[in-house]
Amino acid sequence: MASQTPGTPQAPDGSGGGGSVRVDSWIWAVRLVKTRAAGAAACKGGHVKVNGTSVKPAHALRVGDEVRVRRPGDRERLVEVKRLIRKRVGAPVAAEAYVDNSPPPPPREVIAPVGIRDRGAGRPTKRDRRELERLRATFGQGPGAESGSADD
């Protein structure tokens, strides 16, 4: 077989024979972020750490590295690199490229939605607002919850 250029992938799943991959490209390829641009932005913002250090998007990732990705509104993901992937692949193949060591997500609390108004109902009256505050205080939400009493 003829030798391939370093940038050419050697397998159909996009895993190359090289020893390293850009971290922004890898977290996108294994579906930890939605787009590669989002991966680069996460790196620039300090939300991606490799072996405990914040890294730039072009940081070379190797097998065995520990990658920590923190996304806004989501739990922190802690993964260990098992295989290097350069191109985005299907979810089952992507899951084989890392070992997920993330802590389990916190249990979801069952809370009934309180005070949801119909669309187009207009601005609540003073009476409506006070009733909503009483409801929220009852369920431990909102401004009346801290003091334990509601306006009368």
Side-chain angles (χ1 to χ4, degrees):
M1 181 171 152
S3 66
Q4 294 182 337
T5 58
T8 306
Q10 295 179 354
D13 64 356
S15 61
S20 66
V21 175
R22 287 176 58 111
V23 68
D24 64 337
S25 178
W26 187 82
I27 63 175
W28 164 73
V30 297
R31 299 172 174 261
L32 294 178
V33 292
K34 286 189 177 186
T35 63
R36 183 165 173 191
C43 291
K44 288 176 186 173
H47 302 293
V48 177
K49 294 184 178 186
V50 176
N51 299 326
T53 358
S54 291
V55 293
K56 293 182 177 181
H59 179 80
L61 199 60
R62 301 187 187 286
V63 174
D65 283 347
E66 183 181 84
V67 180
R68 187 179 296 260
V69 179
R70 187 169 38 103
R71 294 187 304 180
D74 195 17
R75 64 188 177 109
E76 188 173 59
R77 299 289 304 270
L78 178 63
V79 297
E80 182 183 340
V81 180
K82 273 179 38 179
R83 194 170 75 191
L84 299 176
I85 296 179
R86 287 185 174 81
K87 293 184 179 179
R88 194 162 172 106
V89 293
V93 177
E96 295 172 359
Y98 61 87
V99 177
D100 195 356
N101 297 326
S102 304
R108 297 183 109 191
E109 297 177 11
V110 179
I111 298 176
V114 178
I116 296 177
R117 294 178 55 84
D118 294 331
R119 185 174 176 89
R123 185 173 174 174
T125 63
K126 193 172 197 176
R127 181 179 176 187
D128 293 340
R129 182 186 54 80
R130 287 184 175 159
E131 288 175 1
L132 287 172
E133 286 178 359
R134 274 193 213 105
L135 272 173
R136 288 184 180 136
T138 303
F139 287 102
Q141 302 172 349
E146 292 87 21
S147 62
S149 64
D151 293 79
D152 285 339

